[in-house]
Amino acid sequence: MNLKKWFVATLAIMMVVSLLAACGGKSGDGAQDSAGNTNSETSGDTSGDTSTAPGGETGELKGNLVIWTFFDQVNEMAKKFEEKHPGVKVEVKMFPGDQYQTKLLTALQSGRDVPDIFDLERAYIGKFIDSPFVADLSAMGADELVQNYIPYVKELGVSADGKVRAISDHSSPGGFWYIRENAKKYLGTDDPDEISAMVDSWDKIIELGQKVYAESGGKVHLIANAGDVFDMAAYNVEPWVKDGKLNIDPKWQEYYEVQKEIRNNNVDAKLPFMSAGWGNALNDGSVVLVSMPAWAGFMVDNKDDKAVGKYGVAKTPLGFYVGGTYRAIYEKSENKELAYEFIKYIASPEWQEYNLNKTGNMPGNAEVYEKNLDTFKSPMFGDQNILKPYYEMVKAMPGLKADKYGEDILSKWRKVAGEGITNNTPYEDVVAAFKKEVKNAFPELQID
C-alpha cells in the first residue's frame, strides 16, 4: 500500500522505536512469523482448467504479463501465480509511491509501454476508475469473483456505471490496539470484548478518558489524537459531491463537536499525526488505546520478540479502514484474458488465505474471514482471535463508490477541521473556511 510505504519512510526518520519491517510480505499485524500454509480450496478460480486457456490449447495457461505497482508484495503474488501456472511469466515493475501515479497516468494517456495490469491506491482510485483506460471486468465475469466480498472493498472497485473495473485482494480494517498490561492498569481489564464495550460510544470515550487522565496524574491519555474520530467517521458519511454540488453530511458537525470535547477534556495526548511521539505511543504506554489499521504491525518494536503476546485489539465506535490497493486491467492490453486469470487468482480464497497466514493482511473475501475467525492467531496479539473485531466492524461499513473528488476534499476537511480543533473554532467558521478551499480547488462544483 502506498500509505504503508509512506509510513515506513517517514517513521524511519522521525521515530525512535525499532521497526519490524516495511510493507509487503513482512508487513501486516505482526503475523509474519506465522506458518504461511496454503489452502488448496478455491472459489470461482478455474485458472488453467479450461481447454481454451489463454496462450494454449491444452488447458495450461501460457504467456507473459507485465504489472506496474508501488507495492512490493506484488512480487509474491506473481511468484505464487507462476508456481500455479508454469507456462506464464509475470514481470513486475515497481516504482516509488510518490512517482507512481504520475508515471501511470502519463503511460495511459500516451498509450506507450502500458502494462497489462496496474495497481491503484485508495487515495486516487477515484481518478481512474471511470476512465476509458480501465477494462470492464464485469464483462469478463468479475461480478461472481466479488459476490462474497466485504461491501466496502467491492464497491471501491466499481465504476459509476455499476461495472467492476478493479479488484483488491485485501481489506484494511482498523481497531484500538492496546498494551495488555497498560489496559489492566488503567481500564481494569485487558479483555478485548470488555474494552470494546467500554468505548462503544463517544460519550463513553470522553468519560473514560477523563478518568485515565486523572488517575495517571496527567501522564497517560486514553487516545493519541482527537483526529482518530475523523479517521473513523471518514467513510461512514455521505459522499462529498452529489450531482455536481458540494455535500457536507450533517454528521460532520456531530463529529467535530466530539473532537472538541475530546481535546478540551484531556482525553487525547494531542500527538500530531506522524510525529515521533505519535509513533512511540504504541510502544511506551503513554496512550492506552491507539487507533491503528490491521497492517501496521511494522510500527511495533519487536526486538528480541518482546512484543509477542503484548497487545490486544478492541473495536472502535465506528468501523473504519485505512488505505487499500486495487488491480485493474488496461483496456487495450493484448493479454486481457491472461491478465484476468491473474485477477481471478488474487480474488480467490486460495490466495487470500495464504496472504493472511503469510503477512497478516486481512482478506477482502468475507468467506476467508469466516473460515478463520476462530483459528487465526498473530504472535503479537497472543491468543486473541483478532479477525473477530475487525470482521464485525468492517462488514458493517457502507459500500461507497470512489470518485475523482472524494479523497482530495476529504484531505481539505481534515486540514481545516484539524486547525479548528486546535484553535477551538466554531463549526460554522470551519465550514466557511472549508468551502473556500474547495471552491479554489474545484471551481466547477456548485457550493452554497
Side-chain angles (χ1 to χ4, degrees):
M1 295 170 214
N2 193 23
L3 179 59
K4 188 189 304 187
K5 294 188 74 65
W6 174 55
F7 270 11
V8 179
T10 307
L11 288 170
I13 299 172
M14 296 191 301
M15 292 177 59
V16 235
V17 298
S18 300
L19 304 183
L20 283 182
C23 53
K26 297 182 181 178
S27 65
D29 57 9
Q32 59 268 27
D33 294 327
S34 301
N37 296 322
T38 303
N39 178 0
S40 60
E41 296 178 2
T42 60
S43 175
D45 183 0
T46 57
S47 305
D49 295 334
T50 64
S51 60
T52 57
E57 299 179 354
T58 64
E60 178 185 347
L61 294 181
K62 294 181 180 180
N64 300 312
L65 287 174
V66 177
I67 300 177
W68 278 18
T69 185
F70 49 83
F71 181 34
D72 60 3
Q73 200 195 5
V74 176
N75 287 301
E76 177 80 359
M77 296 177 192
K79 175 185 174 183
K80 298 300 291 184
F81 186 71
E82 288 175 339
E83 288 176 0
K84 190 176 180 69
H85 304 291
V88 179
K89 174 65 178 176
V90 182
E91 180 183 1
V92 178
K93 292 187 176 181
M94 279 189 58
F95 303 94
D98 59 348
Q99 302 173 20
Y100 176 78
Q101 182 184 173
T102 300
K103 188 170 184 66
L104 176 61
L105 184 59
T106 300
L108 291 173
Q109 290 175 335
S110 69
R112 293 192 299 270
D113 298 321
V114 185
D116 301 298
I117 299 172
F118 49 86
D119 280 0
L120 298 171
E121 213 273 337
R122 173 63 185 99
Y124 50 78
I125 188 174
K127 298 177 182 179
F128 290 82
I129 197 72
D130 294 309
S131 77
F133 307 119
V134 181
D136 177 2
L137 302 184
S138 287
M140 304 171 81
D143 289 346
E144 183 177 351
L145 296 184
V146 296
Q147 65 180 349
N148 295 317
Y149 258 47
I150 299 296
Y152 100 79
V153 180
K154 171 187 174 181
E155 209 62 28
L156 284 176
V158 176
S159 55
D161 61 2
K163 306 296 185 181
V164 176
R165 295 183 185 270
I167 290 180
S168 179
D169 67 322
H170 60 265
S171 54
S172 306
F176 276 140
W177 292 13
Y178 57 89
I179 299 173
R180 291 182 178 276
E181 288 303 314
N182 215 30
K184 288 179 182 178
K185 182 176 181 180
Y186 294 106
L187 306 183
T189 180
D190 67 345
D191 181 89
D193 292 332
E194 292 180 19
I195 294 175
S196 295
M198 294 169 71
V199 294
D200 62 6
S201 74
W202 307 120
D203 288 342
K204 288 183 179 180
I205 286 175
I206 292 168
E207 183 179 354
L208 185 60
Q210 290 173 305
K211 178 176 178 288
V212 169
Y213 182 77
E215 292 183 356
S216 69
K219 295 180 180 179
V220 176
H221 296 79
L222 182 64
I223 64 176
N225 198 296
D228 290 355
V229 178
F230 172 92
D231 296 331
M232 296 171 201
Y235 303 118
N236 285 284
V237 293
E238 295 177 356
W240 284 107
V241 176
K242 286 186 175 181
D243 300 321
K245 181 180 180 180
L246 178 66
N247 174 56
I248 305 176
D249 191 318
K251 291 179 182 177
W252 279 118
Q253 182 170 9
E254 172 195 344
Y255 298 138
Y256 181 76
E257 298 301 336
V258 165
Q259 286 177 288
K260 286 175 66 177
E261 279 197 66
I262 286 174
R263 178 58 52 85
N264 295 334
N265 285 283
N266 296 307
V267 176
D268 73 322
K270 306 177 184 63
L271 296 173
F273 181 65
M274 291 304 298
S275 68
W278 178 82
N280 289 341
L282 188 64
N283 297 280
D284 64 17
S286 59
V287 170
V288 181
L289 303 174
V290 182
S291 173
M292 298 294 289
W295 46 259
F298 69 91
M299 293 184 63
V300 172
D301 181 6
N302 194 33
K303 185 178 181 181
D304 300 324
D305 291 333
K306 63 184 176 183
V308 173
K310 181 178 179 179
Y311 292 88
V313 58
K315 292 191 290 186
T316 50
L318 290 171
F320 74 101
Y321 69 89
V322 180
T325 305
Y326 285 71
R327 270 156 214 108
I329 297 175
Y330 178 43
E331 171 60 27
K332 295 183 179 180
S333 168
E334 296 180 357
N335 299 306
K336 269 188 182 179
E337 291 184 33
L338 185 58
Y340 184 64
E341 294 297 328
F342 186 88
I343 297 295
K344 284 169 64 177
Y345 177 66
I346 62 121
S348 72
E350 176 185 357
W351 162 257
Q352 292 188 26
E353 186 157 3
Y354 171 84
N355 191 30
L356 172 66
N357 285 313
K358 181 73 179 292
T359 71
N361 286 326
M362 298 294 111
N365 191 317
E367 289 183 340
V368 180
Y369 266 108
E370 291 169 358
K371 180 178 178 181
N372 292 276
L373 280 180
D374 298 322
T375 57
F376 180 77
K377 299 290 195 306
S378 164
M380 192 171 79
F381 293 96
D383 292 332
Q384 183 181 356
N385 296 326
I386 62 171
L387 263 63
K388 287 186 176 181
Y390 289 136
Y391 184 51
E392 289 174 11
M393 291 186 292
V394 81
K395 71 179 179 181
M397 291 195 65
L400 302 174
K401 288 182 174 61
D403 62 53
K404 64 181 181 179
Y405 297 109
E407 289 298 292
D408 286 342
I409 293 179
L410 187 63
S411 67
K412 294 184 184 304
W413 175 255
R414 178 166 190 156
K415 171 181 172 290
V416 175
E419 292 171 351
I421 299 300
T422 299
N423 300 320
N424 203 27
T425 306
Y427 180 74
E428 296 75 15
D429 294 343
V430 168
V431 170
F434 170 65
K435 287 181 176 180
K436 287 182 180 179
E437 293 242 356
V438 175
K439 185 64 177 177
N440 289 335
F442 305 108
E444 72 274 16
L445 292 179
Q446 179 184 341
I447 300 176
D448 294 335

